[in-house]
Amino acid sequence: MGLRLGRTGRIGFVAAAASLAILLLLMPGRAGAASTDDRYSLAHGCFALQSPTNGKYVAKGAGGYAATAGSPNGGEPFRLQATDLGSYMLYDSDRMFLGISLLGPIQPLSDPSPKADWKVTGSGGSFALTSIGTGQGLGTGVGGSVRTVPAASAERFRLVAAGGCPAYPEVELNVSGAPATGSPLYGEVSGLAEGHMHGMAFEFLGGRAHCGKPWSRYGAPYALQDCPDHYPNGAGAVLENTVSYGNPVGTHDPVGWPTFADWPHSQSLTHEQSYWRWIERAWRGGLRIYVNLLVENRALCELYPLKKNGCDEMDSVYLQARDIYKMQDYIDAQAGGPGKGFFRIVTNPYEARRVANQGKLGVVLGMEVSEPFGCGERNYVPQCDRTDIVRELDHLHRVGVRQLEITNKFDNALTGVAGDSGTTGTITNTGNFYATGHFWDMEHCADGENSDKSPTTIHNDDALISNGLGALLAPGITPIYPAEPLCNQRGLTDLGAYAIRQIMDRKMIFDPDHMSVYGRDAALNLLEANDYPGVISSHSWSTKNTIPRIYRLGGMVTPYAGDSEAFVEKWRTLRDDFSGKRYFGVGYGADMNGLGHQGHARGLDTGNTVTYPFKSFDGSVTIDRQRSGERLFDINADGVSHYGLYPDWIEDLRQLAGDEIVDDMGRGAEAYLQMWERADGIAPVSCDFDRGYFFTGRGLGKQIRLGDDPDAALRRSGQPVTRARTWQWCIRRDDPDGSRRRVSAVFGDGGIALIASTLERHRAGAIAPRMPASVLRGEAKRIAPGIWGAPAREAGGEFIYGTADGRVAFTGIVARSTAAKAETLRQLVRRAQIR
């Protein structure tokens, strides 16, 4: 398929050259951004190919390619456009592709395909090329002709830096400056947190309901295309018109790249909104945690007539999991090799913290389906058992899933569902009948704010599923229910309770969103009985009384993003609901890429619009209007049309509510990580160091040990109040004079190098803080001004004491070798911030 430009139809890359000139600004335009060190470092480089057979360079003539040029300047320059790790398209100066023609010879091709896609092996400037499409190698023949040869005979061409390569078409970022990093890697993370995203939704509902993909081997022109059934004018896009705009009759311009006249759009639910470069823009704007939920709905998948994938929900989840690892590889390929891309799938909070502080994006996999573990039900008969739950949870854990819900739109064998209100509820209830054989069992309940089907219930719209069912299900008669508010009488089942216990056993993060009020209440009771903090409400599908309980458990809340004004009100409510000493930060749940409408544009004349360019929330980068192909996006006029506009949405929040909301959002990633640590068994901030611990030669009691690395320190000591190179834990009581009591641990290259405390109970030998400084005479020796030392009984340890105002200010412990270095010791004491 050739490149589509506006309404001009199918054209090749050659004819597109002039039109594309303005679009090719951000990809490397000359050699220097790549090297020939290895097969991965070639990405985006501009090279000439020198034949090992005759020493000539591959040139391009009327008959195609031949190794006839005597110098690199006479050779054809090729842009090596990565399609995967170690695979490339060779994109020439005429914007054609070196490939295998239908008749077999090597020729310039107008469009990419597996026959123009080459696996590259070798290093040190010499590489062999093998066709992805045919398995044949690249070689030369008589007269320097470039031809196919058996793979085992592929010649090792020398790649020589060249000039004159056109840039390959790509979505722009329009962000300048380096993304912020954190130091040290084990320190507090500054960054935004996305709690509920559907980046792989192109595969769900059979794989043909969603139009476009988050990536393609062949780049933006091929990833960002509409569904075939949407051509020529969108009139055939019944699902899109119904789910997005509530009317099956409608039209839209189906052309995506490069014109994007009608999509992506904040209200469109079947078009791709999370292309990888848009995610990259959000990351550059400060996003550091990104929860990608693997999603499926069997009922709607079965009803939608166009499909290429099956409808089993768990099969779809595993397919999407494979896809996201492939996309990670693709992003790595663009960055020059494995592990070099910004997009890093993480499976524990410690890895996620290191990734975020490296300035990359920690990607957490999750799941949101209506029949998790195969646990649908038919007329209240479970379609799964405990063995199924264990097997599927083990499988999910192996593929990296760490966050999950246990229902989405319908009742299942685990729990009742929250349902929807009004006409949407009627449609979804009909879907529940299709999926389960029965309607929701709704009865009147007294609490209107905490009900399953009430106008005051705080839900996002989830319009794709409900409107899609409305478009595809035959009209039916639903029950007549009592007056609202209503509560689904189906709560948490025994199988559901078993599933939650298994989730806790695996230290996974549980999301009670979408559960019925009674189901969610029972689930939280179970979490509370087990003091389990690994809980999140990820996109505003929990009732009002749920949020304080989640916070008390040590959980996290990421409200549905939606419109800026509504989000500001949710944030204000969360600040009122939060209590305790735990770290407070707010994330957001975009629910983008198929399930939820995005934030509307507030308009260009509101008086407090976003002014471009602006600084990211942390001040590290400058952000301008985003250009995709020929389309320029502006948050004021377009709303959140795609994921790359979330940095702009954050700035819109600042315009509405000032720096305070942005500060809380910038603490979202750290809040998520601390919640995840607690789920993994790390003790929360408890301020209980005022117990009767004392210093030994190894550390402070059994709580903090010299030499512990950050992960070990967390396991032993629990979460500190502050984390940088110095960690501090709090004490329940401050001194009468108002001075703070604290315990500090200072990290060095080999782990914790110094531990110090200002609490009287924390004796080092016979000496405790607040004693007269005179007690040190005869018990310790002066090491440096205000610092004294005495050997600990255990070999290798040295007690230290600090003095101020005639008293012992702190006690502590260091390695004896450290105490022998006065300047090193003084630096550690200063870093302890203990005086």
Side-chain angles (χ1 to χ4, degrees), residues 619-642:
S620 63
V621 301
T622 301
I623 301 170
D624 211 335
R625 292 176 180 84
Q626 195 280 320
R627 179 177 293 278
S628 296
E630 297 172 5
R631 175 78 183 273
L632 190 65
F633 289 93
D634 183 323
I635 190 74
N636 303 300
D638 300 307
V640 186
S641 293
H642 61 68

Side-chain angles (χ1 to χ4, degrees), residues 7 25 43 48 73 89 198 228 233 240 286 343 356 418 628 737 750 771:
R7 301 179 183 274
L25 302 177
N73 291 336
M89 297 181 294
H198 298 292
N233 63 0
E240 158 68 5
F343 190 90
S628 296
D737 63 4
M771 285 184 173

Side-chain angles (χ1 to χ4, degrees), residues 468-535:
L469 290 168
L472 299 172
L473 276 171
I477 299 174
T478 56
I480 298 175
Y481 292 117
E484 295 186 359
L486 300 173
C487 290
N488 189 348
Q489 300 302 292
R490 186 168 177 80
L492 185 69
T493 68
D494 289 343
L495 272 178
Y498 179 79
I500 292 174
R501 286 193 293 269
Q502 292 295 311
I503 290 167
M504 291 190 289
D505 286 348
R506 289 162 179 79
K507 302 178 180 179
M508 300 169 84
I509 299 166
F510 173 67
D511 186 346
D513 280 8
H514 287 293
M515 295 178 72
S516 67
V517 164
Y518 296 148
R520 187 184 306 111
D521 185 62
L524 289 173
N525 287 343
L526 184 56
L527 298 182
E528 289 164 348
N530 288 271
D531 196 22
Y532 189 72
V535 57

Side-chain angles (χ1 to χ4, degrees), residues 84-95:
D84 199 352
L85 285 168
S87 299
Y88 299 90
M89 297 181 294
L90 276 65
Y91 187 53
D92 73 17
S93 60
D94 294 320
R95 296 181 171 83

